Amino acid sequence: MSDMSIEEIRAEVEAWLDENWDESLTVGDWWDRLGPSGYAHPMLGTNAYGKGLTQAQAAAVMATMADREVMGPPTGLGRMLAAPTIATHGTQEQIDEFLPPILDGSVGWCQLFSEPGAGSDLAGLTCKAEKDGDEYIITGQKVWTSGGQIADMGMLIARTDPNAPKHKGITYFAIDMHQPGITVRPLVEMTGKALFNEVFIDEARVPAANIIGDLNQGWAVANTTLMFERASLGSAGKSPASAAGSGMRSVRHEPVTKFNKRTSGEGGVPPLGMGLWRYLVDMAEKSGKNTDPVLRQELIKLYSLIEVNRLSIQRAKDPKQRTGAEPNIGKLTMSELFRSFREVGLQVIGADGMLLGESETQTGGAVGEIAMFSPGPSIYGGTDQIQQNIIGERVLGLPREPGPGKDTPFSELPKN
């Protein structure tokens, strides 16, 4: 299908929806149809239950669903990260085992990467995996695990060879979260929500058959996951409404009509975009602040940032114009958008910004929610500073930061 035009793809999706969409279905029944169709994740290869579409073509599929007000595929880290990573590095047997339950929403995933002593220095992780017959015994701690409290499976990286250099000796596993030895504790944010968790792993087990990629070569697999994460966090576009997060089984019995219209952000992340900008403009007009030249200037700066981000995403869809830094630039832009919406929004609503709850405010609570949440995007998914380092070193060719040689065994590196 990759040689089809956008118009042809939209027409084909329309025809498929005419045959399959039914508002009397439950979420589970709909996802059971959508998952095997290839439209649940159309950028995946045909061997991985996708259509092999380009980013622009896949965006057209989602836009068609949104225009029809059809419920979209299950969201969450399974679809965003696990599915494309396994499709890239997994065996066909692993693809056949893990991808269908992701795409039909019956299994949710979380990401077990960061550790208390290895956040920005992810390759410094100390969670260990020791071979025991056909299994590995996992011991360690992870943190900032999105959706860990409701996930069924986890994308885990652990150290299998402490005598290898830091970026080697790491292996990528698919681990069952529902087993003795795994304890998940939510981390409540200042928003009052718990988007993240800390995970304690005490001699949990994972089959050797669940190694994604090669033994001791998990750093390359993890970088693939991070690439998909940053690209997703920095992306924007018209998409259908869906149910957010992991653990999709809880909504499979619900009617699709409950989820087939987008109303808010997903996964605990407040929504940004031109709609919110217009909301701020409307509030400024109602309060008479739209005549303030400083506020007007800040509103136009925010408008420009939104437009530049949209155009950057459009340019990134053309392989000839890509630099390799698009996921990192998108992640940085998202952080800046949250900060800008916070500052401009608080200027517009004034003292109402000191209140958070929707019932307490006169302005709906959206700006207060964004203000409280805004520090998060500059940290999760790799800090802004890490994104800048990656762009500088890998794209611009600037010198790397000084440190021990690449071939130094991890066991000999100085520890925090």
Side-chain angles (χ1 to χ4, degrees), residues 162-189:
N163 295 316
K166 181 168 70 171
H167 291 83
K168 300 178 181 178
I170 294 173
T171 301
Y172 193 114
F173 297 92
I175 188 170
D176 182 0
M177 296 293 290
H178 300 304
Q179 63 170 300
I182 294 184
T183 303
V184 182
R185 296 179 185 171
L187 296 169
V188 180
E189 308 148 25

Side-chain angles (χ1 to χ4, degrees), residues 283-292:
M283 284 200 297
E285 290 177 350
K286 290 176 183 178
S287 64
K289 292 183 178 180
N290 60 319
T291 59
D292 182 341

Side-chain angles (χ1 to χ4, degrees), residues 38-117:
Y39 293 124
H41 202 318
M43 289 183 69
L44 297 178
T46 54
N47 70 315
Y49 306 92
K51 293 286 189 180
L53 300 187
T54 66
Q55 185 178 9
Q57 291 171 327
V61 173
M62 293 300 118
T64 304
M65 290 188 185
D67 290 342
R68 288 278 296 265
E69 294 190 343
V70 168
M71 183 182 185
T75 59
L77 299 188
R79 181 179 180 274
M80 182 195 300
L81 306 182
T85 300
I86 295 170
T88 302
H89 293 279
T91 64
Q92 190 60 50
E93 290 76 12
Q94 291 171 332
I95 290 171
D96 293 339
E97 177 182 358
F98 294 124
L99 263 64
I102 291 174
L103 300 178
D104 68 17
S106 57
V107 172
W109 287 64
C110 65
Q111 183 183 8
L112 300 166
F113 280 22
S114 294
E115 298 183 4

Side-chain angles (χ1 to χ4, degrees), residues 153-209:
M153 296 290 295
M155 297 164 270
L156 168 75
I157 51 176
R159 193 163 299 280
T160 42
D161 185 357
N163 295 316
K166 181 168 70 171
H167 291 83
K168 300 178 181 178
I170 294 173
T171 301
Y172 193 114
F173 297 92
I175 188 170
D176 182 0
M177 296 293 290
H178 300 304
Q179 63 170 300
I182 294 184
T183 303
V184 182
R185 296 179 185 171
L187 296 169
V188 180
E189 308 148 25
M190 60 184 179
T191 61
K193 299 178 181 178
L195 182 62
F196 304 106
N197 302 266
E198 54 184 348
V199 180
F200 300 90
I201 308 173
D202 184 13
E203 297 189 352
R205 290 180 172 268
V206 58

Side-chain angles (χ1 to χ4, degrees), residues 1-261:
M1 290 183 65
S2 60
D3 57 346
M4 295 175 65
S5 68
I6 297 298
E7 292 73 21
E8 289 172 328
I9 287 172
R10 290 193 69 127
E12 185 168 294
V13 176
E14 289 274 10
W16 187 85
L17 291 174
D18 288 340
E19 291 186 13
N20 291 277
W21 172 248
D22 183 348
E23 289 194 347
S24 68
L25 294 173
T26 64
V27 172
D29 291 337
W30 168 237
W31 281 345
D32 287 343
R33 294 185 184 185
L34 185 61
S37 72
Y39 293 124
H41 202 318
M43 289 183 69
L44 297 178
T46 54
N47 70 315
Y49 306 92
K51 293 286 189 180
L53 300 187
T54 66
Q55 185 178 9
Q57 291 171 327
V61 173
M62 293 300 118
T64 304
M65 290 188 185
D67 290 342
R68 288 278 296 265
E69 294 190 343
V70 168
M71 183 182 185
T75 59
L77 299 188
R79 181 179 180 274
M80 182 195 300
L81 306 182
T85 300
I86 295 170
T88 302
H89 293 279
T91 64
Q92 190 60 50
E93 290 76 12
Q94 291 171 332
I95 290 171
D96 293 339
E97 177 182 358
F98 294 124
L99 263 64
I102 291 174
L103 300 178
D104 68 17
S106 57
V107 172
W109 287 64
C110 65
Q111 183 183 8
L112 300 166
F113 280 22
S114 294
E115 298 183 4
S120 296
D121 179 24
L122 181 58
L125 63 89
T126 57
C127 179
K128 62 182 180 179
E130 298 176 309
K131 190 79 163 28
D132 182 29
D134 293 333
E135 296 181 315
Y136 282 82
I137 300 174
I138 313 296
T139 301
Q141 182 182 351
K142 299 292 181 176
V143 73
W144 312 124
T145 304
S146 302
Q149 73 273 42
I150 50 176
D152 306 298
M153 296 290 295
M155 297 164 270
L156 168 75
I157 51 176
R159 193 163 299 280
T160 42
D161 185 357
N163 295 316
K166 181 168 70 171
H167 291 83
K168 300 178 181 178
I170 294 173
T171 301
Y172 193 114
F173 297 92
I175 188 170
D176 182 0
M177 296 293 290
H178 300 304
Q179 63 170 300
I182 294 184
T183 303
V184 182
R185 296 179 185 171
L187 296 169
V188 180
E189 308 148 25
M190 60 184 179
T191 61
K193 299 178 181 178
L195 182 62
F196 304 106
N197 302 266
E198 54 184 348
V199 180
F200 300 90
I201 308 173
D202 184 13
E203 297 189 352
R205 290 180 172 268
V206 58
N210 283 19
I211 293 176
I212 308 299
D214 295 326
L215 179 67
N216 296 326
Q217 301 299 315
W219 183 247
V221 186
N223 269 292
T224 298
T225 302
L226 293 173
M227 178 191 69
F228 288 121
E229 179 179 33
R230 288 157 185 165
S232 298
L233 292 174
S235 66
K238 194 171 188 180
S239 60
S242 189
S246 305
M248 294 297 179
R249 290 192 307 271
S250 63
V251 301
R252 285 178 60 85
H253 66 282
E254 300 279 0
V256 290
T257 51
K258 183 176 179 179
F259 300 97
N260 65 343
K261 293 185 180 180

